[in-house]
Structure formats: C-alpha cells, structure tokens
Amino acid sequence: MGYEDVEQYADRETFAKYSDLALRGAVSQAPDFVWCPNGCGSGQIHESGNEQPIVTCGKCSFKFCFRHQVRWHEQLTCAEYDSLVSDPENFRSRIDILNEEAEKLRLAEQLARRTQEEADRRLAQSLMAAEQREEAERQARRERAERERREEAERRRLQAERIAMQQQAEKMRMEAVRKRDEDELSRITVEKTTKPCPGCKWPIEKNAGCSHMTYAETPLI
Ligand SMILES: [Zn+2]
Ligand SMILES: [Zn+2]
Ligand SMILES: [Zn+2]
C-alpha cells in the first residue's frame, strides 16, 4: 500500500498518522536526523551534525550529544568523551589538566612569593645589620675623635709644661750665670781692694799709702 492508496482510502485521522509515520520514516533516513535519547519519541534534523554536536530536543528539551547519543557530556569534547569511555580509570579531562596546571601554577607562585618574602626579609636584616654596623662605626669614629682630642690636649699640656720648665730652668741658669758673674766681680773687687790680714787671713781693705787697716765686712770664701 502506497502513500496515494492511504490518502485515497484512509480517513483523515489515519491519513494524518500514516503521513506522520511516513514522514518520520523518510526523515529518519536523513544523515543529520537524530532521535532524542531521552525516550520522548521525538527526533529532529540537526544540520550542523558533528561540527556542533550539542542537540536540544525540540519536544522535551533534553540536551544531548549528536554523535554519541547520550546526555550532553558537559566540559568534554566528543574526542575527550571517547577517551573517557575507552579508559575511564586513567582519563584526565581538559578540565582536570587545566585544574592540575592551575594548581601547579598556584604552587609555583606560592613558592616564588615565599622565596621573594624570604629574600626581602634577608635584605631587611642585612640592611638592619649594615645600619647597626654603620652606627657602630660612627660611634667608634666619635670615640676615636674624642680620644684623639684628649690626647692632643694632654700633649699640649705636657708641651706647655715642658716649655715652662725649660723657661724656668733657663731663668735659673741665667740667674746662676748672673750670680756667678757678680760673685766673680765681687771677688775681683775684693781682691783689688783688700788683702788678707797677715794674722787671721780675713780680707782687709787696702788703704793705699795708709798704714791704718780695718776688717772688711764679709770674708771671702
Ligand atoms: Zn526529547
Ligand atoms: Zn559526543
Ligand atoms: Zn786679722
């Protein structure tokens, strides 16, 4: 019985049903036709085929894969879904790999951050140590300058003392010279103007031409 026969003999309802069935039969042969895997009995042409494999059922809104005829495998491409099905235990999805890479990146960044923090801490410590060392050096310089100042003052004091002693000694020497010269002059004067007493040897003044003699006030040593 052909299409025309049905049209000719069947009532309107039967024809509609047959027409639908025939349509379905014909359409289901099309390469882009797909049945809804959700069991709603609907099927549809999915013109983009495997290129864009996500299909949403026009009747029940079930979202499924055109190629695999299963609920749409979220986050997996069809190739990844094939890998998952062929080795479910060892399958690592793109998302897993991305997550692993993100975790590695996070750990690497954490390590880099800690390394940087450690370097900063060491730098701060060395700066602090350098500052302390500089302060210690400044303090040592201040102390050395103060010591040198004291030593210089002491040196000048000793020099002044030595000069004063030298001046004192010079003064005493000159006084001694003067005294010696005076004594010498005095002795010469006494020698010129006196003669020893013939009796007690004390110098007595010469009274030229005069026989009278008196004792000099002081004896010669
Ligand atoms: Zn459906
Ligand atoms: Zn698929
Ligand atoms: Zn005498």
Side-chain angles (χ1 to χ4, degrees):
M1 192 166 68
Y3 185 83
E4 290 80 9
D5 298 327
V6 175
E7 188 177 29
Q8 191 174 352
Y9 300 109
D11 57 35
R12 193 173 182 79
E13 192 177 329
T14 305
F15 174 75
K17 190 176 180 186
Y18 178 80
S19 176
D20 187 43
L21 284 170
L23 177 67
R24 290 173 65 126
V27 165
S28 66
Q29 297 305 307
D32 292 341
F33 180 85
V34 66
W35 290 107
C36 173
N38 199 30
C40 72
S42 175
Q44 63 200 83
I45 295 287
H46 184 66
E47 285 182 353
S48 57
N50 286 327
E51 294 290 314
Q52 201 293 96
I54 302 174
V55 189
T56 302
C57 175
K59 188 177 177 188
C60 74
S61 299
F62 186 66
K63 192 175 168 189
F64 61 97
C65 175
F66 176 78
R67 180 170 148 192
H68 291 104
Q69 293 282 297
V70 294
R71 178 188 295 277
W72 173 245
H73 36 77
E74 293 288 347
Q75 298 183 344
L76 297 183
T77 65
C78 285
E80 287 171 335
Y81 183 74
D82 285 337
S83 299
L84 170 66
V85 170
S86 69
D87 188 2
E89 279 76 26
N90 295 313
F91 175 73
R92 285 160 71 247
S93 74
R94 191 175 70 257
I95 302 301
D96 290 337
I97 293 167
L98 285 174
N99 284 339
E100 284 166 18
E101 284 173 356
E103 178 64 9
K104 276 184 201 164
L105 190 65
R106 193 186 67 77
L107 289 172
E109 284 172 351
Q110 190 180 52
L111 181 65
R113 194 167 56 249
R114 286 186 184 160
T115 304
Q116 185 59 49
E117 284 169 0
E118 176 66 11
D120 289 348
R121 197 175 61 75
R122 285 192 185 153
L123 179 63
Q125 279 181 342
S126 74
L127 285 176
M128 223 189 304
E131 224 166 75
Q132 287 170 346
R133 197 163 56 244
E134 279 171 20
E135 175 55 30
E137 283 169 5
R138 279 195 294 275
Q139 179 65 22
R141 277 197 297 276
R142 281 196 295 272
E143 285 170 5
R144 192 164 58 243
E146 173 64 15
R147 190 169 62 248
E148 283 171 0
R149 197 190 58 74
R150 281 197 309 269
E151 285 170 359
E152 175 66 10
E154 177 67 4
R155 198 180 61 77
R156 287 185 182 179
R157 193 186 65 75
L158 288 172
Q159 192 179 31
E161 207 171 70
R162 211 158 45 238
I163 288 168
M165 283 167 71
Q166 277 174 352
Q167 285 172 344
Q168 181 67 21
E170 181 67 10
K171 194 171 154 192
M172 282 165 66
R173 195 183 62 79
M174 287 173 73
E175 277 177 9
V177 166
R178 188 173 53 79
K179 176 141 196 330
R180 187 203 60 198
D181 291 351
E182 280 174 6
D183 290 352
E184 181 65 10
L185 189 63
S186 172
R187 192 184 59 77
I188 289 165
T189 304
V190 168
E191 254 176 26
K192 277 182 182 168
T193 57
T194 65
K195 59 180 184 184
C197 167
C200 66
K201 306 297 182 194
W202 277 82
I204 53 177
E205 281 183 31
K206 294 174 181 172
N207 215 337
C210 178
S211 61
H212 175 73
M213 291 179 186
T214 58
Y215 289 100
E217 286 179 1
T218 53
L220 280 179
I221 298 160

